[in-house]
Amino acid sequence: MRKRKTSAWRSAAAVCALLLTAAGCGSGDDDGKGGHAPDKLGKGEGEVNIIAWAGYAEDGSNDPEVDWVHPFEKKTGCKVNTKTAGTSDEMVSLMKTGQYDTVSASGDATLRLIASGDAAPVNTKLVPNYKDVFPALKNQPFNSKDGRMYGIPHGRGANLLMYRTDKVTPAPDSWRAVFDESARYAGHVTAYDSPIYIADAALYLMRAKPSLGIENPYALDQKQLDAAVALLKKQHKAVGEYWSDYQKEITAFKGGDSVIGTTWQVIANLTKAEKAPVKAVLPKEGATGWSDTWMVSAKAEHPNCAYKWLDWIVSPKVNAQVAEYFGEAPSNRKACAETSAPDHCAIFHADDEKYFQRVHFWTTPIKECLDGRKDTTCTDYAQWTRAWTEVKG
């Protein structure tokens, strides 16, 4: 989720050595632990087990008018069994069980899944709608290796700053409101509950303390990580609740327990639908964000149905439905002609690369600095995980 173009891909071998969270790595070749990309598809197996972010696999149970699962089942004969995950760490853990065929992984999970051999390379020729995916979403550091795609891009968006308009004045336009000025809202600040949230602090420090020399919020040496952790510990005193369950954040903002903090557009949409007076903005420093990729498990028991799902979920009409419901930019350029709101793609900057240069997409931190530095060692995800535990006490 930018500057992602400045982040060179690191080999799976390097990632395996550097990420303590990756349990065992294969060579990454088609005959390695990472599994094979099929040359052709066969008959559907009758079902597919998927892990998805909330809002990505709607079957009408939340809203009878929001359903792209049952039409898929009717068309393909593949019954969809969905497990909704609240965090990327949960997705990685679930994929390691081998019980799921595909996952809508964000950039802080994709690289780990590739490195550990839990995701297989994808034969994009078997996904007809892939040809219409925006070029800027293809062959990125978090969804490819050695020029081979390890999934099909789904969509992208920014992690926004949400606040209650009746409690927070003046209207904030900077992350300063939840960091250096967090004491103003003591007990009512909320933050995303994940080690990757350290990047949000680093992003703020890129402008607030340029002397730290942070160029990429996912490439932090020890001094830079310490500065981000110190800022997060300061913020911790004002945090009322860390969230990972989007329903809990909706409830907190609706009831007033939370009045300001990080959010996703889907949460802002649903919170507004609950009549809560909230607004979500992209602060002047930019934001972290996501570029999600549908990946196929190296142990998929239903690979044919999984590939059918990948092609379905990025088909123009369905990709448009998901993008509008979730509140994100679709990955398929033809989806823009299928949205019910004619200006959806303009609002969410679907093909606006200048906008997305302000969004630093989730990327797994590794010891080889992703900003290109060769004279230092950066901190990896395992160190970020320990630091996050320290932040929360």
Side-chain angles (χ1 to χ4, degrees), residues 7 148 281 305 370:
S7 301
R148 298 205 62 185
V281 297
C305 280
L370 295 171

Side-chain angles (χ1 to χ4, degrees), residues 132-210:
D132 296 316
V133 169
F134 286 111
L137 291 173
K138 299 178 179 180
N139 297 309
Q140 295 302 322
F142 46 78
N143 62 20
S144 68
K145 173 184 176 292
D146 297 334
R148 298 205 62 185
M149 287 294 292
Y150 271 74
I152 303 299
H154 169 97
R156 54 183 170 174
N159 293 321
L160 304 173
L161 176 64
M162 184 163 74
Y163 62 96
R164 281 192 56 130
T165 57
D166 60 338
K167 301 290 185 179
V168 178
T169 57
D173 65 353
S174 167
W175 290 111
R176 174 180 292 274
V178 295
F179 288 121
D180 285 335
E181 297 176 356
S182 60
R184 293 179 57 187
Y185 313 104
H188 300 287
V189 175
T190 189
Y192 188 49
D193 191 3
S194 170
I196 205 66
Y197 183 65
I198 292 172
D200 289 60
L203 174 69
Y204 172 65
L205 290 172
M206 284 171 66
R207 288 187 60 175
K209 290 190 176 181

Side-chain angles (χ1 to χ4, degrees), residues 70-87:
H70 288 113
F72 169 78
E73 293 176 333
K74 183 177 181 180
K75 179 179 180 180
T76 66
C78 300
K79 183 180 184 300
V80 175
N81 304 308
T82 303
K83 170 66 176 179
T84 300
T87 68

Side-chain angles (χ1 to χ4, degrees), residues 1 53 56 104-107 152-155 290-294 328:
M1 302 169 178
W53 290 113
Y56 274 12
S104 62
S106 295
I152 303 299
H154 169 97
W290 71 89
S291 178
D292 294 340
T293 303
W294 283 98
E328 65 183 350

